[in-house]
Amino acid sequence: MSRGTRARHRRVGGGMTADERPSGHACDVVVIGGGPAGSTAATLLARRGHRVIALEKDHHPRFHIGESLLPMNLPIFTRLGVMEKVKALGVHKPGADFEADNEQGYNTFDFSRALGNSPPHAYQVWRQDFDCMLYRHAGENGVDAREGHEVRGVEQRGPRDWLLRVTAADGSDYELHARYVVDASGRDAFLSGKKKLKRKNAEHQSAAIFGHFRGATFRPGKDAGNISIYRFDHGWMWMIPLPNGVMSVGAVCRPDYLKQRRGRTVEFLLDTLRQNAALWERIEHAELMGNDVRVTGNYSYDSARMGGPGWILVGDAFAFLDPVFSSGVYLAMSGAEQAVEVVDEALRSPGREAALQRRLERRQRRGMRRFGFFIYRFNGPVMRKLFRSPNNVFQIEQGVISMLAGDVFDSFKVWSRIAAFRVVYGVLALGNWRRWKAERRYRLAQARSQFTGGNTPLDKA
């Protein structure tokens, strides 16, 4: 950090500055969490000249779900300087395919047909390798990246004066002083929980069961890297091609369905996957790696607000939607990148902080609503029909492809077609209102359900 930057830090913001405390236990910004959102925020803040400490409670590489990325991630990778690293880790993903009543049995929504400026492809990655790479990259960019360091408590003494109590992997405890806290703690939602901001989604709730298979059948030709989406009576299923011939396969279910498993985890997954004949045909002779099946639940939630004086929530620490459109990593990294602008400005000109936070929160919620419209209705009869038999009148299908690519924020050309899609959806729903109403009633009832019994690190005991 330059001498001029340090001087500016002393003049604004209030509280003791990072330069007035021992460097090992003080910083400008603490980032809680070492996932994609946390690593993105930490890297870019360090490049702005801020002293950043990133605390990850586990050690990389560590398990995480969410292996399918979106094309709109790619410009962020370029700005971070990790594009070549992602290419080396990933499987080329040209599009997403959904079941259809045609000769090949599916429709491919090819990203190259998107309307906006989104790249024509994305990648599928092992999340433990992807997250580890981003975290190591943060360290290479000047971040003090500490693994096995868990934040146990926080105390805000002023708008720019935080005290954090941290426990290291060796059992030792220490205190850490910071001027700003970026919470990227994922589904732990550390600050959101402390401040009682976390809210269960009243419109949608789901749980998932999944594993990794060797020997599954990939799509032929150029579609080999597609994510494939299937449906069954209790939700939807995915097949995600990963490096070295591995296929991630699972089902996102209504909570009441998954509660029926009663300890039969492996058998329950296989029995569930058998409920879609087309998917089962692709994995019938495949091997479930390690006989290992994971279960996780209660995906959908948000926080009542995104930030306040001296703190901000990014990624899953703020909100998470159902993963049907693979939006999680993109929303996390995009939100983190935007949050860097807020934090940087707040540390230099605190008077603008509240307005910048409100603007970012409106933007993030707008993108979530556009994804959410499709997600909440995905299992219903109307959306099922529209995805099985897409129509590109008024470029509506291309607008949907743009949404699938992650282009949900700034393109008028895209969101105007999404608005047109909603009109078409409404007309079809009126024509099939009894089934639409029954599905909506069931969905809202399931949203009130609470799933327990997950066995991933993301599920609380």
Side-chain angles (χ1 to χ4, degrees), residues 202-280:
E203 291 194 64
H204 183 80
Q205 200 56 253
S206 56
I209 182 168
F210 58 98
H212 294 99
F213 292 76
R214 286 194 186 277
T217 301
F218 285 62
R219 293 294 194 205
K222 66 180 182 61
D223 292 333
N226 285 356
I227 179 174
S228 299
I229 303 296
Y230 298 85
R231 299 176 187 270
F232 72 123
D233 288 343
H234 306 283
W236 59 273
M237 305 174 184
W238 77 79
M239 295 185 73
I240 299 174
L242 293 172
N244 302 316
V246 175
M247 187 78 77
S248 172
V249 186
V252 175
C253 322
R254 295 286 164 78
D256 280 357
Y257 172 75
L258 202 49
K259 287 177 183 178
Q260 300 172 24
R261 80 185 194 282
R262 297 177 183 173
R264 299 170 52 253
T265 305
V266 173
E267 296 84 357
F268 193 88
L269 171 63
L270 298 177
D271 288 345
T272 297
L273 299 178
R274 285 188 185 96
Q275 295 181 46
N276 187 291
L279 181 145
W280 183 252

Side-chain angles (χ1 to χ4, degrees), residues 48 59 106 157 188 203 209 229 290 352 360 409 419 434 456:
R48 298 288 182 99
H59 286 87
Y106 63 92
R157 298 172 169 181
D188 285 349
E203 291 194 64
I209 182 168
I229 303 296
R352 300 191 60 208
L360 174 56
F409 287 112
R434 290 184 186 276
T456 79

Side-chain angles (χ1 to χ4, degrees), residues 3 43 55 81 142 220 228 241 264 286 312 328 372 385 395 418 440:
R3 184 176 301 173
T43 297
L55 303 173
S228 299
R264 299 170 52 253
I312 196 164
K385 178 179 180 180
Q395 295 182 305
I418 293 175
R440 182 177 186 276

Side-chain angles (χ1 to χ4, degrees), residues 78-322:
T78 298
R79 291 190 287 271
L80 283 172
V82 298
M83 179 62 80
E84 293 305 314
K85 296 178 180 180
V86 175
K87 285 182 183 178
L89 290 174
V91 168
H92 185 87
K93 174 187 174 184
D97 61 60
F98 297 80
E99 291 177 283
D101 300 316
N102 57 26
E103 185 176 348
Q104 65 181 4
Y106 63 92
N107 287 315
T108 294
F109 290 74
D110 197 318
F111 293 137
S112 65
R113 297 183 58 228
L115 287 174
N117 295 318
S118 56
H121 66 90
Y123 293 96
Q124 328 265 25
V125 294
W126 284 104
R127 275 294 302 277
Q128 59 264 37
D129 297 336
F130 175 75
D131 290 10
C132 182
M133 177 274 292
L134 289 177
Y135 193 73
R136 299 281 184 265
H137 186 74
E140 293 164 6
N141 278 264
V143 175
D144 182 351
R146 304 180 183 182
E147 297 178 73
H149 289 240
E150 182 174 3
V151 179
R152 296 286 191 173
V154 292
E155 178 184 348
Q156 188 171 18
R157 298 172 169 181
R160 301 289 176 265
D161 191 1
W162 285 86
L163 174 67
L164 296 89
R165 297 175 181 85
V166 183
T167 299
D170 62 4
S172 62
D173 298 316
Y174 64 94
E175 293 183 343
L176 186 60
H177 297 269
R179 302 174 64 222
Y180 214 101
V181 171
V182 175
D183 183 8
S185 59
R187 284 173 56 192
D188 285 349
F190 181 79
L191 275 185
S192 187
K194 292 284 186 186
K195 294 178 176 292
K196 303 187 185 306
L197 298 174
K198 190 174 180 180
R199 306 181 296 194
K200 188 177 179 182
N201 191 318
E203 291 194 64
H204 183 80
Q205 200 56 253
S206 56
I209 182 168
F210 58 98
H212 294 99
F213 292 76
R214 286 194 186 277
T217 301
F218 285 62
R219 293 294 194 205
K222 66 180 182 61
D223 292 333
N226 285 356
I227 179 174
S228 299
I229 303 296
Y230 298 85
R231 299 176 187 270
F232 72 123
D233 288 343
H234 306 283
W236 59 273
M237 305 174 184
W238 77 79
M239 295 185 73
I240 299 174
L242 293 172
N244 302 316
V246 175
M247 187 78 77
S248 172
V249 186
V252 175
C253 322
R254 295 286 164 78
D256 280 357
Y257 172 75
L258 202 49
K259 287 177 183 178
Q260 300 172 24
R261 80 185 194 282
R262 297 177 183 173
R264 299 170 52 253
T265 305
V266 173
E267 296 84 357
F268 193 88
L269 171 63
L270 298 177
D271 288 345
T272 297
L273 299 178
R274 285 188 185 96
Q275 295 181 46
N276 187 291
L279 181 145
W280 183 252
E281 184 179 358
R282 295 177 63 187
I283 66 164
E284 185 174 6
H285 303 294
E287 172 196 359
L288 176 61
M289 294 170 58
N291 233 25
D292 185 25
V293 173
R294 308 252 187 182
V295 181
T296 187
N298 304 316
Y299 275 125
S300 303
Y301 61 86
D302 77 337
S303 301
R305 57 193 170 106
M306 179 178 274
W311 61 275
I312 196 164
L313 312 177
V314 296
D316 295 355
F318 171 59
F320 187 73
L321 297 167
D322 183 293

